[in-house]
């Protein structure tokens, strides 16, 4: 399995379908775990979707005093284990991207798990499967590479040339790379 | 102390040694030099000792994790801080009751789950208290006259009770009561784990189902023992007691290594309101960008120290750390960086120009000059130049 979550923030139209879909996912307890936010409300209505990066070496798990955040074989960083999470919220503040959410009543952290029961079987996560503008996509590694190349070319046509130091500014990010290459 | 430590293979083996020594002496003392030792429970005593060693090792490694260590240290410091004594003791006692004893938060997750866990945990705690008490001889019953028993705790005579009173019946049947509670709770949990699709998402057999099966095996064999000697006149009692002993030993061996290890972890939860939430749900540290309060100074200091000690480089160009910003601002910063939308001049995290000039909406729009970061004088020169674009 070698599928990739591919985000293009600019494509987001702010419909929040991904959040509605997230609430419906198994084990999500009718609460969304992703974000759709304004870049700068005073400037424009541009929104962007935000999900967990599924880090290889997750800061959230490293700052958890209860050791409650586990990483699956596929590389998905799961929500806190229900019996271990002591509710300190260190993960929320440790995560560089501000992803983990916290439920004060149930005293536990919950975060994007890439719809583990779906992606485990190569099915697109809820958010990617409903996004009408393809801001969130669940695609093959090759397709992702192609998209990135096209995007760089587009930038060249636009007249801005990426330099060695800033070429990453010109490609959208990808994440959740499944390590299994087979 | 350093020398003493050096004479062991590792720190954990030193701690284990001390724990075993303490257990041995408590046993020696409370059985008045092994006079009152219950030899029938020797197998349990040995496996309980191995259980204690396993628990010590796991607890030591857990405590050495950078995050755990830091949080635990702050909690201990706060606990013994004289100025905060009053508020702290109140916070600790309140969380202890709400979170550990009544487990209110699990009831919030659902009545079913609340009852299920309340049964498992209190059934287990009652049974463990009685079993360990009796095997290590911390507690024993002495017949002081034909009608009265006395409970002896740590070789110290305490209350007396009539041999056939109601209180005595409750005490004798403590293990049975505990076992029935665990039977109900673990049965409910197993039923939920088999039928509920939501829990199946991340459920693993060896981690989630196995502990329930082990707990059920222990309680069922234990209850069969009771049935055998009360109703069946001790029929097959000997074999069953052997089987029961084996299940208990399996559980004790499993305890420190699987799901049940959450039991020694949970008490750290009592320290959270004390150290991190001075006033519940009220934050005191404000975000460096938007100024909204989002956390507590101590907590952010801890998070930064933990990350630093594990070589996470989350410092920004201006010297601040990502954790100095609230979660919303952090998400925005990531998106801005990714879309190349950061304010090109001045504070990169300040207000932005969303037209980045790279991806222009529609055709024939000019890129904003500002984006290229051209300084003022070069712009001024251009004014007079003939423009050919
Ligand atoms: C007294 C302090 C304890 C606390 C605060 C605690 C906390 C928790 C929590 C929060 C869960 C997750 C429950 C859920 O979300 O549905 C859990 C599960 C569990 N606990 Fe405890 N626990 C404690 C003691 C114990 C004890 C003494 C045992 C037995 C040895 C035990 C056995 C279990 C088991 C078997 C589960 C899994 C239930 C399942 O399959 O869903 N716990 N515990
Ligand atoms: S929550 Fe944050 S730190 Fe943890 S895996 Fe996701 S992006 Fe990484
Ligand atoms: S809130 Fe839970 S998962 Fe997050 S750091 Fe604290 S204990 Fe770990």
């Amino acid at each position: 399995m070698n599928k990739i979550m591919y985000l293009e923030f600019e494509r987001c139209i702010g419909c929040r379908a991904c959040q509605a879909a997230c609430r419906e996912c198994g084990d999500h307890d009718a609460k969304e775990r992703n974000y759709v936010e304004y870049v700068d409300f005073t400037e424009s209505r541009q929104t962007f979707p935000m999900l967990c990066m599924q880090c290889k070496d997750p800061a959230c798990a490293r700052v958890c005093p209860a050791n409650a955040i586990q990483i699956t074989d596929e590389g998905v960083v799961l929500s806190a284990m229900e019996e271990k999470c002591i509710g300190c919220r260190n993960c929320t503040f440790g995560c560089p991207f501000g992803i983990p959410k916290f439920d004060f009543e149930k005293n536990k952290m919950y975060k994007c798990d890439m719809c583990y029961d779906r992606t485990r079987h190569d099915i697109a996560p809820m958010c990617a499967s409903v996004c009408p503008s393809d801001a969130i996509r669940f695609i093959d590694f090759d397709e992702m590479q192609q998209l990135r190349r096209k995007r760089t070319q587009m930038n060249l046509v636009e007249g801005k040339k990426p330099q060695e130091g800033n070429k990453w500014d010109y490609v959208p990010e990808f994440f959740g790379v499944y390590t299994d290459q087979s | 102390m350093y020398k003493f430590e050096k004479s062991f293979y590792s720190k954990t083996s030193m701690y284990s040694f001390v724990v075993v020594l303490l257990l041995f002496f408590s046993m020696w003392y409370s059985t008045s030099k092994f006079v009152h030792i219950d030899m029938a429970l020797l197998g349990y005593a040995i496996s309980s000792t191995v259980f204690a060693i396993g628990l010590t090792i796991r607890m030591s490694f857990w405590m050495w994790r950078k995050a755990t260590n830091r949080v635990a240290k702050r909690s201990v410091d706060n606990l013994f801080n004289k100025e905060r004594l009053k508020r702290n003791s109140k916070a600790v006692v309140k969380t202890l009751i709400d979170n550990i004893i009544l487990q209110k938060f699990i009831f919030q997750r659902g009545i079913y789950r609340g009852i299920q866990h309340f049964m498992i945990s209190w059934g287990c705690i009652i049974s463990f208290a009685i079993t360990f008490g009796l095997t290590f001889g911390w507690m024993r019953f002495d017949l002081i006259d034909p009608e009265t028993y006395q409970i002896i705790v740590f070789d110290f005579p305490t209350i007396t009770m009539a041999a056939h009173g109601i209180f005595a019946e409750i005490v004798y049947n403590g293990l049975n009561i505990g076992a029935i509670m665990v039977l109900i709770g673990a049965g409910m949990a197993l039923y939920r784990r088999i039928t509920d699709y939501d829990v199946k998402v991340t459920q693993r057999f060896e981690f989630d189902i196995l502990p329930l099966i082990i707990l059920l095996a222990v309680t069922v064999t234990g209850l069969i023992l009771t049935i055998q000697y009360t109703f069946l006149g001790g029929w097959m009692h000997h074999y069953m007691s052997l089987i029961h002993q084996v299940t208990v030993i399996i559980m004790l061996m499993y305890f420190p290594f699987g799901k049940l290890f959450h039991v020694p972890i949970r008490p750290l939860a009592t320290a959270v309101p004390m150290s991190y939430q001075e006033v519940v749900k009220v934050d005191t540290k404000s975000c460096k960008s938007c100024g909204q309060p989002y956390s507590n100074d101590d907590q952010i200091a801890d998070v930064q120290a933990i990350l630093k000690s594990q070589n996470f480089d989350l410092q920004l160009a201006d010297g601040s750390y990502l954790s100095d910003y609230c979660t919303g601002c952090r998400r925005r910063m990531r998106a801005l960086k990714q879309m190349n939308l950061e304010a090109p001049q001045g504070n990169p995290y300040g207000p932005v120009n969303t037209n980045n000039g790279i991806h222009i909406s529609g055709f024939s729009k000019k890129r904003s000059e500002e984006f290229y970061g051209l300084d003022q004088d070069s712009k001024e020169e251009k004014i007079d130049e003939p423009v050919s674009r």
Side-chain angles (χ1 to χ4, degrees), chain A residues 27 35 37 39 43 50 62 64-65 70 82 85 88 90 92 95 97-98 106 155 158 173, chain B residues 62 65 68 109 113 198 201 204 207 266 299 310 330-332 334 336 338 352 358-359 367 372:
Chain A
D27 206 24
Y35 302 85
E37 285 169 345
V39 168
E43 270 274 338
M50 183 57 76
R62 293 283 189 170
C64 173
Q70 32 170 4
E82 299 200 314
C85 176
C88 64
N90 268 5
T92 308
C95 169
F97 313 112
K106 302 182 179 176
N155 288 334
E158 290 270 345
E173 67 188 283
Chain B
W62 176 60
R65 293 183 72 247
T68 317
R109 297 177 188 182
R113 285 161 80 172
D198 279 350
V201 172
R204 283 180 290 144
F207 190 81
R266 294 301 310 188
Q299 180 156 26
Q310 299 183 79
R330 249 178 281 163
R331 288 190 292 272
R332 209 169 62 94
R334 172 175 158 208
L336 293 186
Q338 216 66 57
V352 291
I358 298 176
H359 307 290
R367 260 167 240 122
Y372 298 101

Side-chain angles (χ1 to χ4, degrees), chain B residues 17-195:
Chain B
F17 177 74
V18 172
V19 165
V20 172
L21 216 60
L22 282 176
L23 276 179
F24 190 77
F25 272 108
S26 75
M27 205 169 166
W28 175 81
Y29 178 78
S30 47
T31 54
S32 28
K33 302 179 187 148
F34 296 128
V35 174
H36 298 285
I37 194 164
D38 190 345
M39 287 308 279
L41 297 177
L42 197 63
Y44 290 109
I46 292 170
S47 54
S48 304
T49 311
V50 179
F51 158 80
I53 294 173
L55 210 56
T56 313
I57 292 173
R58 285 279 285 143
M59 289 281 282
S60 312
F61 277 106
W62 176 60
M63 271 296 166
W64 273 319
R65 293 183 72 247
K66 295 266 172 18
T68 317
N69 196 293
R70 176 93 192 184
V71 173
K73 214 178 230 154
R74 172 166 315 269
S75 311
V76 171
D77 284 353
N78 275 350
L79 195 61
F80 295 110
N81 186 334
K82 280 214 179 66
E83 289 163 25
R84 311 171 52 141
L85 195 67
K86 198 162 159 236
R87 202 181 57 83
N88 280 351
S89 35
K90 221 174 104 190
V92 168
V93 170
K94 187 172 180 316
T95 356
L96 190 75
I97 293 173
D98 282 358
N99 193 314
I100 305 286
I101 296 177
L102 297 180
Q103 301 162 3
K104 281 188 185 163
F105 68 102
I106 310 184
F107 282 91
Q108 287 289 337
R109 297 177 188 182
I111 295 281
Y112 187 91
R113 285 161 80 172
I115 295 172
Q116 157 199 318
H117 190 268
F118 198 81
M119 289 288 179
I120 301 181
S121 60
W122 283 103
C124 276
I125 291 171
I126 292 172
S127 317
F128 272 49
I130 297 174
T131 322
F132 287 144
L134 292 177
T135 46
F136 290 119
W138 296 336
M139 181 182 81
R140 66 172 192 270
F141 301 103
D142 265 4
L143 200 60
I144 44 174
D145 64 61
E147 281 301 306
T148 341
Y149 268 120
Q150 187 163 44
I151 302 179
I152 313 239
V153 179
F154 289 107
D155 210 24
F156 184 80
T158 57
I159 46 172
T160 53
M161 57 188 185
H164 298 290
I166 293 175
F167 183 68
E169 289 298 330
I170 291 175
V171 172
Y172 304 146
N173 281 310
L175 274 175
N176 288 330
I177 294 167
I180 289 169
M181 284 174 76
V182 178
L183 186 69
I184 296 170
M188 284 169 83
L190 198 62
Y191 177 75
R192 174 168 168 262
R193 293 226 163 253
I194 289 169
T195 52

Side-chain angles (χ1 to χ4, degrees), chain A residues 2 19 25 36 48 87 135 156 180:
Chain A
N2 204 3
Q19 291 192 298
C25 188
V36 174
F48 62 90
L156 286 175
D180 187 359

Side-chain angles (χ1 to χ4, degrees), chain A residues 7 9-10 26-27 35 37-40 43-44 46 48 50-51 53 57-59 61-67 70 78 81-90 92-99 104-108 113 116-117 120 151 154-155 158-160 168-173 175, chain B residues 58 62 65 67-68 71 99 105 108-109 113 192 198-202 204 207 259 261-262 265-266 268-269 272 276-277 281 283 294-295 299-300 302-303 306-307 310 312 314 322-323 327-328 330-332 334-341 351-355 357-360 367 371-372:
Chain A
L7 287 188
F9 293 140
E10 309 92 312
D27 206 24
Y35 302 85
E37 285 169 345
Y38 289 98
V39 168
D40 188 341
E43 270 274 338
S44 79
Q46 175 70 50
F48 62 90
M50 183 57 76
L51 313 158
M53 287 280 278
D57 187 2
R62 293 283 189 170
V63 295
C64 173
N67 206 1
Q70 32 170 4
L78 295 177
M81 293 153 88
E82 299 200 314
E83 76 280 3
K84 271 193 187 164
C85 176
I86 59 168
C88 64
R89 290 199 293 158
N90 268 5
T92 308
F93 304 124
C95 169
F97 313 112
I99 299 295
F104 280 96
E105 265 61 55
K106 302 182 179 176
N107 198 31
K108 67 175 179 189
D113 55 6
Y116 185 56
D117 54 340
R120 188 168 35 161
R151 211 170 150 108
M154 231 168 69
N155 288 334
E158 290 270 345
K160 284 268 292 168
W168 291 104
D169 294 348
Y170 294 84
V171 284
E173 67 188 283
F175 68 88
Chain B
R58 285 279 285 143
W62 176 60
R65 293 183 72 247
T68 317
V71 173
N99 193 314
F105 68 102
Q108 287 289 337
R109 297 177 188 182
R113 285 161 80 172
R192 174 168 168 262
D198 279 350
V199 296
K200 283 187 185 170
V201 172
T202 51
R204 283 180 290 144
F207 190 81
K259 191 172 203 174
F261 188 64
H262 74 277
I265 286 181
R266 294 301 310 188
L268 197 60
V272 173
Y276 288 159
Q277 291 162 23
K281 291 191 196 172
D283 297 321
Y294 70 105
S295 179
Q299 180 156 26
I300 296 302
D302 275 359
V303 166
I306 295 164
L307 287 174
Q310 299 183 79
F312 277 90
L314 301 180
L322 275 171
S323 39
T327 50
R330 249 178 281 163
R331 288 190 292 272
R332 209 169 62 94
R334 172 175 158 208
L336 293 186
K337 183 99 195 147
Q338 216 66 57
M339 290 196 268
N340 214 3
L341 282 176
V352 291
N353 178 358
T354 40
N355 182 353
I358 298 176
H359 307 290
I360 296 174
R367 260 167 240 122
F371 181 78
Y372 298 101

